[in-house]
Amino acid sequence: MDDVISLGGGSVAGAVVSELLKLVIEEANRVLAFRSVLMELASKMNKVRLAFIEIETLQGAEELKDLENIINEARVLVRKCSQVKRWNLSAKAKYTRKIEEINKKLLEFCQVQLQLIMLRNQRLMMLKMGICEQSSSDYDEELSPRPYDNLPKDKLMAIRSHLESIEKELDVSSVFSLVFRDLCSVPKIDKLFFGLDSPLMEVKKKILDDDAVASLVVSAPPGCGKTTLVTQLCHDDHIKDEFEYIFFCNLSKVPTFKTIVQTLLHHNGYEAPTFENDSQAVDGLRNLLEELEEDGPILLVLDDVPQDAESLLQKFQINIPNFKILVTSRFEFPSFGPTYHLKPLGYEDSKSLLIERASLFFFRSAFEDKQDLLHKILKRCYGFPLLIEAIGVQLVRKAFDWESDEEETILHSPQPTVLECLQPSFNVLKPHLKDCFLDMSSFLTQGKIRASTIIDIWMELYSEDSERSNVNYVWHLNDLASHNLVKLDTLGSLVAVTERKLIPLGYGYEDDFINNFLVTQHSILRELAISQSKSEDHHERKRLNLEIREDTFPDWCLDLMQPINARLLSISTDDFFSSTWVEMDFPNVEALVLNVSSPTYALPNFIATMKKLKVVIIINHGLGPAKLTNLSCLSSLPNLKRIIFEKISITLLDVLLSRLGSLEKLSMFMCSFRDREVSYNTKEIAIPEALPKLQELIIDSCYDLDELPDWVSEVVSLKKLSITNCGKLSLLPKGIGNLSNLQVLRLCSCISLYELPESTDRLSDLRFLDISDCLALKKLPSEIEKLQKLEKILMRKCLGCEIPDSLRPGSIPTRDQFVVKKLLIGFLMKK
């Protein structure tokens, strides 16, 4: 370590980046235990080294200091790897992840700092060529003058060429690998909480100071803050210093022990075997823990453990030094370990939390003279953070006209349950919001739900044909969030949550694209939604949740003598479900949600009888993509308009062969296409007849999609095509120009896409083009100015993409010069 620090600090006359690279490459080539991953790292660095030598001779290495630090870190890591034995699987997994982190840092350098250097040099070239004018914006302050601003244009162009080659070589698509996902990582803390300082210290003391305590249960009623407490504990500096590994697993839906062990193995970089029984899984967990324990202590958090899971917990009690288990549950497990009872918040902490949450809508000063009112409101919340958020904030909104006799039944109830306390927060909802809230129970709670998925259901259940925009339903989600009945989050930086409202940034609602909005719901709130239907007989419910454990169906499903009238049907199955279905009749179902967990899943034949079915959603909660079969049962449905696949192993050809004559929208999230050898020979299929009404195709985060099949360009009914976060996609069909009705083409974060087909200039109806974060894209089609209806192009972080001369100021009619000049500036400033 000292050698590397002295090297970076100037003991070798301030060694430049290329020399550091040379040293790292030499050491990496000598390491045997990590031959595959380190050779890849060494190969990348070797390829860019010559480019750095050229850059250093042209302009020096001042702006490459951050990269020098990354390379120093890589050299330290390589030296540590050299000390790892081949048989030490634990250390190999650990350092393999660290190598992945180095790759990520290299990618981030390319995406941010390297882009900024390229941007600066490109702007200098444009100034020398007279293409743009000097300005005095904040942007120019970021790119303050450098000694080499007066370099000749040919040298600037040479630098640009070398930087582009570096960017291409450091385009480490392996960071998108599904092998090293954060499957058991500690959740982030996204807001401020009160009253947990003392419980945090007490639990931390038990975990750190009491060597006799190997297992601890944090118990409290739902909504009391158990998960929040242990999450804060895991982020505590003392805990992070003490434990080398901290794993966080949610057990709210009773996943099997084998599945949890497989998840832990995958999280740590291992290929998880298929265990035949729990005994094998116990052995697998013991082997993993023994290997990890060599690096340091381990803390395993099992969150939201259900009542009947005591036998499952006991399987985790493996006698290994420095291994501790922390459980949160509504219940106690005396045979598992001692219990810490988390108490509700005291009055002052409850008041502080209420004011903090309510201050999103009111000024704090509004509470100064309302102490009696606060006392009445907080009496309704019993010190439970969830109730303070779901009930207290709503009552504060009505602070100036709220009467003490309103909903007194809860106040006078001797020992109300949390569900009883939450009931009024449901009762005050408007009828349309009640329906939306109840529909949320169709989804499981151990993950984030895409807002677009929920809205697809609402649009088909509640929209008239004349109201096909999803904007109203976005506001329905906002309203539910403002009542604290759901929580909103985002993926990436395209959108933001401000005051718990979904606010589009930049992308707006040009095409109602909301795939980056995520929704979560507390498990007790899902129970509240489910409880609203339990008073009705199964046959009469508007919404029906069917849960199947192994191959055991609920008794009411057996020997059904009459059809079931539900409009919304949710079926949830576990890992052991064999797709052996009981025949049932659902003639009125319009929306079907299938929550699957098994590695293979066959759709039930009775779907073919659901003639009113409009939307099908299949979400896989298992470890890897689930192989889907019997897709043909969807082909006979005359009203099926929307299909959503999430984490499913399928091919686009499967969809085509199903001949979905009414399908209007197909969405595929995190799906896999690699598991089958598929020939896209579709010459004998009349594509327009197979998918005659398909208007929107969304493919997101499908990491092994390397090319879009040619037949997609024959779906002439398409109006929107969105392919996002597909890191291997390099080509679009040459015939994409045949999509004469296409209005929106979104290709965000397809980092390997290097060109748009020339036929793009035949998309005569195109209004919106988004190529943001397409790092490899070098140019737009030369005739793109022919697209008379094109209103907006988004090209953030596309600094290597050349703009055709026809789009430069002065090359087009005066009426459009301001628009194009604005587009060009936005391109240069990465806005």
Side-chain angles (χ1 to χ4, degrees):
M1 181 69 177
D2 293 336
D3 292 341
V4 178
I5 292 175
S6 64
L7 176 64
S11 65
V12 192
V16 291
V17 171
S18 58
E19 288 303 310
L20 283 171
L21 279 168
K22 180 179 179 181
L23 291 171
V24 175
I25 293 165
E26 289 175 353
E27 294 199 26
N29 285 331
R30 289 197 295 266
V31 178
L32 298 179
F34 296 83
R35 175 65 67 182
S36 59
V37 288
L38 281 178
M39 286 301 292
E40 178 184 358
L41 183 64
S43 174
K44 288 182 181 295
M45 289 184 168
N46 196 36
K47 289 179 180 178
V48 303
R49 181 171 171 262
L50 294 177
F52 276 119
I53 291 174
E54 294 295 329
I55 292 174
E56 289 160 355
T57 60
L58 290 170
Q59 68 177 55
E62 297 94 337
E63 292 182 333
L64 302 178
K65 182 65 177 177
D66 288 336
L67 181 61
E68 180 182 334
N69 294 335
I70 294 173
I71 297 170
N72 269 329
E73 185 177 349
R75 189 176 182 213
V76 172
L77 180 59
V78 168
R79 287 186 171 181
K80 289 182 178 180
C81 291
S82 66
Q83 301 171 7
V84 175
K85 305 300 182 183
R86 289 184 177 182
W87 50 264
N88 192 338
L89 299 180
S90 168
K92 288 181 67 175
K94 174 183 175 180
Y95 285 112
T96 297
R97 288 196 303 273
K98 290 184 179 294
I99 294 170
E100 288 290 321
E101 291 173 4
I102 294 291
N103 277 338
K104 288 182 182 179
K105 289 183 179 181
L106 288 171
L107 179 62
E108 289 170 359
F109 178 85
C110 284
Q111 290 181 329
V112 181
Q113 291 162 278
L114 184 57
Q115 294 278 354
L116 191 62
I117 300 171
M118 292 172 65
L119 170 59
R120 170 183 178 73
N121 289 336
Q122 181 166 343
R123 184 177 174 279
L124 287 173
M125 281 191 291
M126 296 181 72
L127 282 171
K128 294 178 183 295
M129 296 168 65
I131 295 176
C132 65
E133 300 177 354
Q134 184 75 40
S135 66
S136 57
S137 64
D138 294 336
Y139 161 76
D140 286 312
E141 294 179 6
E142 292 182 24
L143 300 177
S144 54
R146 298 286 191 273
Y148 47 83
D149 274 5
N150 295 321
L151 282 176
K153 185 177 68 174
D154 59 340
K155 287 198 172 185
L156 285 172
M157 294 184 70
I159 293 171
R160 177 186 177 185
S161 175
H162 291 307
L163 289 171
E164 287 176 350
S165 68
I166 293 169
E167 179 187 32
K168 181 178 180 180
E169 294 301 337
L170 294 186
D171 180 13
V172 282
S173 57
S174 59
V175 300
F176 299 108
S177 171
L178 297 178
V179 177
F180 299 101
R181 293 173 296 183
D182 292 331
L183 296 172
C184 304
S185 295
V186 179
K188 295 180 180 179
I189 299 175
D190 57 354
K191 55 186 176 182
L192 182 65
F193 279 89
F194 298 86
L196 294 181
D197 290 345
S198 178
L200 183 65
M201 292 298 296
E202 294 173 7
V203 174
K204 184 165 68 172
K205 182 176 177 60
K206 290 180 179 293
I207 291 293
L208 294 180
D209 298 342
D210 193 344
D211 293 334
V213 175
S215 305
L216 178 66
V217 179
V218 176
S219 180
C224 205
K226 303 182 294 296
T227 300
T228 302
L229 172 64
V230 298
T231 300
Q232 288 190 324
L233 179 78
C234 294
H235 285 285
D236 182 87
D237 289 338
H238 292 96
I239 293 292
K240 290 192 292 186
D241 288 342
E242 174 67 20
F243 292 97
E244 181 70 22
Y245 297 97
I246 301 177
F247 305 128
F248 198 105
C249 301
N250 184 283
L251 274 66
S252 61
K253 294 305 294 181
V254 202
T256 64
F257 177 72
K258 294 189 294 184
T259 302
I260 299 170
V261 175
Q262 287 176 324
T263 303
L264 285 166
L265 286 166
H266 269 284
H267 178 83
N268 287 281
Y270 296 98
E271 284 295 328
T274 301
F275 300 113
E276 294 183 2
N277 51 53
D278 283 355
S279 296
Q280 290 183 357
V282 169
D283 292 338
L285 178 61
R286 180 183 290 106
N287 292 336
L288 173 66
L289 294 175
E290 288 175 347
E291 292 174 356
L292 297 181
E293 193 266 337
E294 293 179 4
D295 296 331
I298 305 164
L299 176 63
L300 173 62
V301 177
L302 302 175
D303 184 41
D304 201 10
V305 177
Q307 184 176 13
D308 57 353
E310 188 152 7
S311 61
L312 181 146
L313 288 178
Q314 291 173 353
K315 294 182 176 68
F316 286 98
Q317 290 185 304
I318 297 176
N319 187 19
I320 291 179
N322 299 321
F323 171 51
K324 295 197 175 186
I325 305 173
L326 182 60
V327 166
T328 73
S329 179
R330 307 177 193 179
F331 312 96
E332 298 181 26
F333 303 99
S335 64
F336 177 73
T339 301
Y340 175 84
H341 294 280
L342 178 61
K343 298 177 181 178
L345 300 180
Y347 179 76
E348 290 300 324
D349 287 324
S350 297
K351 183 172 71 172
S352 297
L353 179 60
L354 176 60
I355 292 175
E356 175 68 26
R357 295 296 182 262
S359 66
L360 297 173
F361 312 100
F362 297 93
F363 295 106
R364 287 178 181 269
S365 58
F367 299 109
E368 292 178 357
D369 300 324
K370 300 290 183 180
Q371 296 302 313
D372 290 342
L373 178 62
L374 286 178
H375 183 77
K376 291 178 181 179
I377 292 173
L378 290 172
K379 187 177 179 180
R380 291 273 305 277
C381 300
Y382 301 96
F384 286 19
L386 179 65
L387 298 182
I388 292 171
E389 293 183 340
I391 297 175
V393 172
Q394 299 308 312
L395 294 177
V396 165
R397 290 181 177 183
K398 300 185 292 183
F400 297 99
D401 59 6
W402 186 75
E403 299 295 338
S404 61
D405 61 350
E406 182 180 357
E407 298 169 1
E408 283 289 323
T409 55
I410 297 298
L411 286 174
H412 292 140
S413 179
Q415 285 186 331
T417 65
V418 176
L419 283 178
E420 289 173 333
C421 292
L422 286 170
Q423 186 66 45
S425 65
F426 172 76
N427 292 339
V428 300
L429 294 176
K430 295 179 180 179
H432 68 277
L433 285 182
K434 285 184 178 180
D435 283 331
C436 291
F437 174 70
L438 295 176
D439 293 341
M440 293 290 299
S441 66
S442 299
F443 301 92
L444 304 186
T445 57
Q446 71 261 38
K448 295 181 178 181
I449 311 160
R450 293 179 187 268
S452 59
T453 298
I454 301 168
I455 289 175
D456 276 344
I457 288 181
W458 292 345
M459 289 187 67
E460 294 303 333
L461 289 182
Y462 308 124
S463 289
E464 300 293 335
D465 290 338
S466 59
E467 300 175 357
R468 302 305 292 175
S469 172
N470 64 15
V471 175
N472 289 336
Y473 299 106
V474 170
W475 291 114
H476 290 355
L477 276 176
N478 284 329
D479 289 340
L480 290 176
S482 68
H483 284 80
N484 289 291
L485 296 175
V486 299
K487 294 182 181 179
L488 306 178
D489 200 354
T490 60
L491 275 171
S493 58
L494 304 184
V495 291
V497 177
T498 304
E499 295 187 350
R500 292 183 177 271
K501 293 184 179 180
L502 298 178
I503 306 296
L505 296 179
Y507 280 55
Y509 287 121
E510 293 97 340
D511 62 333
D512 302 339
F513 190 75
I514 55 170
N515 282 4
N516 292 87
F517 296 148
L518 299 175
V519 184
T520 57
Q521 187 177 46
H522 195 285
S523 58
I524 193 65
L525 291 170
R526 183 174 187 262
E527 291 180 27
L528 174 65
I530 293 175
S531 69
Q532 303 303 308
S533 302
K534 285 191 174 179
S535 60
E536 301 174 350
D537 184 80
H538 290 95
H539 298 83
E540 301 301 325
R541 294 179 186 177
K542 292 173 57 179
R543 301 166 189 83
L544 183 62
N545 293 303
L546 171 58
E547 294 192 1
I548 305 170
R549 294 290 167 256
E550 296 186 358
D551 284 330
T552 303
F553 285 72
D555 292 340
W556 61 266
C557 294
L558 306 176
D559 299 323
L560 283 172
M561 302 302 293
Q562 57 183 311
I564 297 174
N565 292 322
R567 292 184 67 197
L568 174 56
L569 173 63
S570 172
I571 303 178
S572 302
T573 56
D574 63 10
D575 305 27
F576 297 108
F577 183 61
S578 65
S579 297
T580 302
W581 294 95
V582 171
E583 286 302 319
M584 291 177 281
D585 188 11
F586 299 96
N588 295 315
V589 167
E590 297 177 44
L592 174 64
V593 180
L594 300 176
N595 296 296
V596 311
S597 297
S598 50
T600 59
Y601 189 87
L603 297 182
N605 289 325
F606 58 71
I607 291 181
T609 67
M610 300 179 180
K611 300 304 180 183
K612 294 184 179 181
L613 190 60
K614 297 179 181 178
V615 53
V616 172
I617 299 169
I618 305 177
I619 302 176
N620 172 31
H621 299 274
L623 194 58
K627 293 183 179 180
L628 191 65
T629 60
N630 198 30
L631 201 65
S632 60
C633 69
L634 303 176
S635 60
S636 61
L637 301 175
N639 295 297
L640 182 59
K641 297 179 180 179
R642 299 168 189 255
I643 297 178
I644 300 170
F645 296 126
E646 185 164 331
K647 218 160 89 174
I648 299 296
S649 178
I650 197 173
T651 72
L652 289 170
L653 188 60
D654 292 330
V655 176
L656 180 63
L657 295 175
S658 297
R659 299 182 180 272
L660 303 167
S662 300
L663 190 66
E664 296 179 0
K665 180 179 179 182
L666 173 63
S667 302
M668 309 178 79
F669 303 113
M670 294 185 292
C671 290
S672 174
F673 303 105
R674 72 177 62 172
D675 292 336
R676 305 177 190 176
E677 292 294 330
V678 176
S679 172
Y680 289 117
N681 184 6
T682 58
K683 294 180 179 179
E684 298 180 0
I685 302 176
I687 308 299
E689 295 178 8
L691 295 169
K693 296 184 179 180
L694 186 63
Q695 297 182 22
E696 184 169 4
L697 175 59
I698 296 175
I699 303 176
D700 181 72
S701 300
C702 297
Y703 300 115
D704 58 356
L705 178 69
D706 51 8
E707 64 177 297
L708 201 62
D710 290 337
W711 64 259
V712 173
S713 62
E714 298 181 46
V715 186
V716 293
S717 56
L718 267 183
K719 292 184 178 180
K720 299 178 182 180
L721 175 59
S722 298
I723 308 175
T724 55
N725 301 302
C726 294
K728 290 188 177 181
L729 181 70
S730 58
L731 289 172
L732 293 179
K734 293 182 179 179
I736 197 171
N738 297 331
L739 301 177
S740 56
N741 293 301
L742 195 68
Q743 299 177 5
V744 173
L745 178 58
R746 176 177 280 102
L747 302 167
C748 301
S749 301
C750 294
I751 60 174
S752 298
L753 184 66
Y754 61 88
E755 70 175 2
L756 297 182
E758 288 298 327
S759 67
T760 304
D761 59 24
R762 293 194 280 111
L763 297 174
S764 57
D765 208 26
L766 191 67
R767 287 87 184 286
F768 181 72
L769 173 63
D770 187 353
I771 53 173
S772 297
D773 295 291
C774 291
L775 303 180
L777 196 62
K778 297 306 179 186
K779 63 179 181 178
L780 295 175
S782 57
E783 303 294 326
I784 196 170
E785 83 281 357
K786 292 181 179 179
L787 303 179
Q788 298 298 318
K789 294 185 179 181
L790 186 60
E791 300 170 356
K792 190 170 186 178
I793 303 177
L794 293 181
M795 45 197 310
R796 297 174 178 87
K797 294 185 181 178
C798 289
L799 298 175
C801 182
E802 296 180 2
I803 299 178
D805 292 339
S806 56
L807 289 185
R808 298 183 184 279
S811 302
I812 54 176
T814 305
R815 178 176 60 85
D816 295 330
Q817 281 186 9
F818 175 77
V819 176
V820 174
K821 187 172 183 179
K822 183 178 180 182
L823 168 65
L824 181 59
I825 293 174
F827 159 74
L828 290 175
M829 296 176 66
K830 297 191 294 184
K831 287 187 176 181

